[in-house]
Structures are given as structure tokens and as C-alpha cells.
Amino acid sequence: MAKIKMTGAGLRVPNDITVPFITGDGIGREIMPVCRKVVDAAVKQAYNGNRSIDWLEVMAGEEAFKQSGAYLPDETVAAFKEYLVGLKGPLMTPAGRGVRSLSIMLRQALDLYACQRPFRYFFGVTSPVKYPDRINLCVFRESTEDVYAGIEWPYGSEKGTKFGEFLQKELNEEKVRFPETSAYGVKPVSKEGTERIIRCAIDYALSHNRRSVTLVHNGNIMKYTEGAFVNWAYDVAEREYGTYLSSGRLRLTGITCDAFFQNAILHPEEYGVIVTSNLNGDYISDVFAAQVGGVGMSPGGNINYETGHAIFEATHGVASDIVGRNVANPSSLILAASMMLEYLGWKEAADLIVTAIERTLRQGITTADIADSYKHSSCVGTREFGEAVVKMMSI
Ligand code: ATP
């Protein structure tokens, strides 16, 4: 097995590759084996056995803690660094003060700044809106900056108090209404951070035949952070993609977050590629996920396009309420694996998976979370859904 390498011309992907994966906690143990079977079948069929994946299991979460005393062992981070591209099931968030989400720790360790979330509707999935098929778009969320950068201090802490005093005494900032009892968080937004996520969104639009890229922001209120995000975005687009803009091949527009949320329900067909900051992106992803079948249907990728590092994942949590019942929907993880194959340039295998899921759902074969109870579709278990998807590949 050879390793994937990042070169000046992009990723170099051998025919037989090692892919590290984290099974994950909770339903991860049910959906990951199903997902791997689907991916192996797709790769085998798409390339007649001339390409293959050697899955390398690496530990994180509960199981890792039991075995090594660490929720995210150094060897796991090292494996993703070494092999560049990997897959991840859902991970529990360790209890206790100061312990952060393992997924965020992994993203930070590899500087996976682009959180890529495609949303589309699959016929056969139950949806709370009338025209879910109008949704077919991709959200790019900057995921290293903003209020989610993790810079915050509790009320009464030494650093929190120091920061409060600095605001008042050094910066003469008098807007804090109750300085004695305030906790503080910091919202860093940088030019470099903005430019690199804008490039991802525009490159994606150009390579996926999309004309419109929409900046979603709160720049009217937060002028120096989100307003700067917008200005830097237009600048980099003008500088590096000017010919696409002037020829009309590419349209870059901005919209404030509140107006956008209304449109996300009323006119989602107006959007092709959306690019936004960290917190906005978190909410925006859920508003689209809810319309196309919920978290069980929504995949995600966390990518650094400069280094090539990428981890694709199910976007839902560990779903402890349904663990061990063979009812979890494996689609989020399977579609994330399909994104991974596309990222590797194995588009034929990626497309096979998406088409097979389309056919499976169209035939009314669904897991319980997306079943339409009025139409009495045949609701199947996690394993059976995976088997149906594999079967659909050879039809
Ligand atoms: P965490 O604590 O990990 O964030 P959570 O329970 O808060 O977990 P999710 O795990 O995303 O959040 O679950 C939210 C709801 O969606 C739960 O009712 C869960 O059962 C359901 N759910 C999540 N993922 C799936 C899935 N793949 N298939 C079916 N239902 C799911």
C-alpha cells in the first residue's frame, strides 16, 4: 500500500491506499462497518479491482480512553498527518471542565480550516418542507476562527478578570453593561483565514459548474470582523478570479445572516455555493440539514487544501438514544465517504455510491429517521440499508 502525497500539482493518489479511520462512539460502531462495506464495493466495482483501500483503524473517544487513558491519542493525530486523508465516525464529548470536542481538537491539530457541507434532497426522504428538491448546494464554513476559536474565559477567572480590566482601563471600553459579572470570549477574524476559505468556495464553484457564490455575514453589525470578512472576500475574488467575475461565469454576492435564514426556507434554489464564518456556518448547516432529512442524511468534510489533509465525517453525534438497535441511518457517513472518494479523484466510485443511495431511497427503502409514515415505505435497519445500497450498485 502506498501513501497519498501532496504535490505542487495537487494530491497524488496511488491505486492502493491506506486510509485511517475512527469508528467512533455510540452508533459509530454500527454505521462505520456498514459504510466501509459500501465503499469497498463501490471501489471494487468502479475500478474492476484495480484500486483498493486498506483501512487502518485508529482510536479516539471512549474506546481510546479505556485502552490508553487519552481520548485523542497522539498516534491517532500522527496517522491522519501521515496518511493525509481519513474517515471519522461520531465521537462523544468528554465530560468535565475545559475538555473540548474531540472533533474540534482534531480539526485544530491538522488546521482543517474548510468545513465543507453539501446538501441535496434525495427523493423518498421525508421532509418538513413542501419543495425540498429545490435544495442542492454546498456550504463552506471557515472553521478555525470566529467566536468558535475557543478563546474564552469564565466569569471570575484570573484571565477573565484581567481581560475585563484591560478592556476598561487600557482601551477605555465602557460598553460592557455588567463588568463585575461578565465572562468574555474573543472573535478573531483574519485576512488570511478569510482568503483561504473564499478560494475554496470559488474553486469549488468553478469546478462544479456553479455560477453563484454567496457570502453570508453579519457585517452590518460586526463591522470590523464580519464586515472585514466581506471586504477581504471581494478583494481576493477581484484579484484572483477577476476574469471569471467580469465574464459573468462567476457571481459573488453578499447577504446578511437574518435575511439569508428566511431565504434558506423560502428560496433555497437561489443558492449554489455559500461561504461563511464559523458560527453562522454552524447554524446554516442545520437549517439545510433539517430540510433534506436531518443529520442522518448530511455528510461533511474538513479540509486543508494547501497541505492536503482532510477528514470526512458523519455530522451527527453519537445518538445515544438509539445505540445498539440497528436503526441508525448510515447515510451521513456513507455520503461523507463518497465526498472522500471524490476528493481523492476517485469520482467514478463516489458517483456509484450516490446513485446507489438515490435508487435505494427512491424505492422507498429507508431507515426509520427518514421514513415517510404516510406512505408506509419499507423501513429497514442499518445493516439492511447498507446491503440494499450495495445491491443497487449492480443494477
Ligand atoms: P452528541 O451528544 O454526540 O452531540 P446528540 O444526541 O446531542 O449527540 P445527535 O447524536 O446528533 O445529537 O442526535 C440528535 C438526534 O438525532 C437524536 O434523537 C438521535 O437519535 C438522532 N440521530 C442522530 N444521528 C442519527 C442517525 N445517523 N440516524 C438516525 N437518527 C440519528
Side-chain angles (χ1 to χ4, degrees):
M1 290 287 160
K3 280 182 203 154
I4 301 164
K5 288 257 171 350
M6 187 63 176
T7 69
L11 284 184
R12 192 164 54 74
V13 183
N15 282 342
D16 303 300
I17 50 171
T18 300
V19 172
F21 73 99
I22 295 171
T23 297
D25 297 311
I27 57 168
R29 290 186 264 275
E30 294 161 64
I31 59 176
M32 185 56 89
V34 168
C35 172
R36 284 172 48 204
K37 271 189 194 153
V38 170
V39 173
D40 287 340
V43 170
K44 192 169 172 201
Q45 180 161 331
Y47 307 111
N48 295 319
N50 292 322
R51 286 182 179 171
S52 70
I53 293 178
D54 177 27
W55 296 99
L56 171 71
E57 179 157 25
V58 289
M59 307 308 290
E62 258 168 10
E63 202 49 43
F65 189 73
K66 268 190 222 151
Q67 287 182 21
S68 67
Y71 285 107
L72 185 61
D74 292 343
E75 304 84 72
T76 296
V77 177
F80 284 113
K81 278 192 178 151
E82 184 178 350
Y83 293 102
L84 284 190
V85 179
L87 190 64
K88 182 181 121 346
L91 288 171
M92 46 82 78
T93 301
R97 255 173 104 104
V99 188
R100 285 172 305 146
S101 145
L102 301 176
S103 302
I104 293 178
M105 284 165 71
L106 207 43
R107 276 181 220 165
Q108 287 181 340
L110 299 166
D111 193 25
L112 305 177
Y113 63 86
C115 177
Q116 191 172 326
R117 300 279 310 269
F119 296 96
R120 59 154 290 188
Y121 178 69
F122 287 92
F123 187 83
V125 173
T126 191
S127 165
V129 294
K130 250 188 185 167
Y131 307 109
D133 52 329
R134 291 179 179 173
I135 296 170
N136 188 356
L137 50 86
C138 191
V139 176
F140 283 82
R141 163 186 170 192
E142 200 293 325
S143 57
T144 60
E145 302 198 323
D146 199 1
V147 284
Y148 277 4
I151 312 169
E152 59 170 15
W153 307 284
Y155 137 75
S157 64
E158 192 192 330
K159 286 186 180 174
T161 308
K162 232 184 202 171
F163 185 77
E165 284 169 5
F166 176 75
L167 275 183
Q168 286 178 73
K169 292 183 188 154
E170 302 289 324
L171 303 182
N172 296 322
E173 190 52 76
E174 288 170 356
K175 290 192 206 86
V176 181
R177 184 70 188 82
F178 299 107
E180 300 307 317
T181 57
S182 286
Y184 295 96
V186 176
K187 177 183 172 86
V189 177
S190 71
K191 184 167 182 275
E192 287 89 338
T194 301
E195 288 183 349
R196 63 182 186 170
I197 193 72
I198 299 299
R199 285 188 195 104
C200 294
I202 294 182
D203 289 341
Y204 178 94
L206 294 175
S207 62
H208 288 74
N209 220 9
R210 305 286 192 145
R211 271 193 63 210
S212 126
V213 175
T214 308
L215 299 163
V216 183
H217 63 88
N218 280 309
N220 52 334
I221 308 293
M222 291 177 270
K223 292 191 172 30
Y224 303 127
T225 50
E226 303 218 0
F229 180 84
V230 175
N231 294 336
W232 287 323
Y234 281 119
D235 285 350
V236 69
E238 201 55 60
R239 216 170 48 238
E240 298 180 18
Y241 302 90
T243 50
Y244 295 105
L245 290 169
S246 55
S247 68
R249 164 67 186 82
L250 183 71
R251 195 159 41 91
L252 182 66
T253 51
I255 181 168
T256 53
C257 217
D258 47 358
F260 177 79
F261 269 100
Q262 181 163 301
N263 274 359
I265 308 275
L266 298 177
H267 303 294
E269 72 281 1
E270 286 180 5
Y271 302 105
V273 177
I274 288 153
V275 56
T276 189
S277 49
N278 210 342
L279 178 66
N280 295 337
D282 193 11
Y283 300 151
I284 288 170
S285 300
D286 276 10
V287 83
F288 288 120
Q291 297 181 73
V292 298
V295 282
M297 291 304 300
S298 313
N302 300 288
I303 305 168
N304 181 320
Y305 280 96
E306 281 87 46
T307 63
H309 287 115
I311 299 181
F312 296 85
E313 64 182 3
T315 59
H316 51 76
V318 298
S320 27
D321 52 334
I322 54 168
V323 169
R325 291 169 39 202
N326 190 41
V327 296
N329 186 351
S331 300
S332 171
L333 189 60
I334 295 173
L335 291 168
S338 162
M339 286 174 75
M340 178 182 84
L341 295 171
E342 186 180 338
Y343 179 72
L344 294 174
W346 295 11
K347 183 139 182 15
E348 300 78 6
D351 288 349
L352 256 184
I353 291 178
V354 174
T355 308
I357 288 192
E358 238 166 31
R359 286 184 183 147
T360 307
L361 295 169
R362 199 173 270 278
Q363 292 208 358
I365 304 170
T366 70
T367 46
D369 57 314
I370 51 168
D372 185 339
S373 49
Y374 296 105
K375 288 189 187 149
H376 306 290
S377 62
S378 41
C379 179
V380 297
T382 311
R383 284 188 298 275
E384 293 72 21
F385 184 81
E387 281 159 15
V389 172
V390 171
K391 211 186 255 172
M392 292 298 164
M393 282 180 203
S394 45
I395 287 176

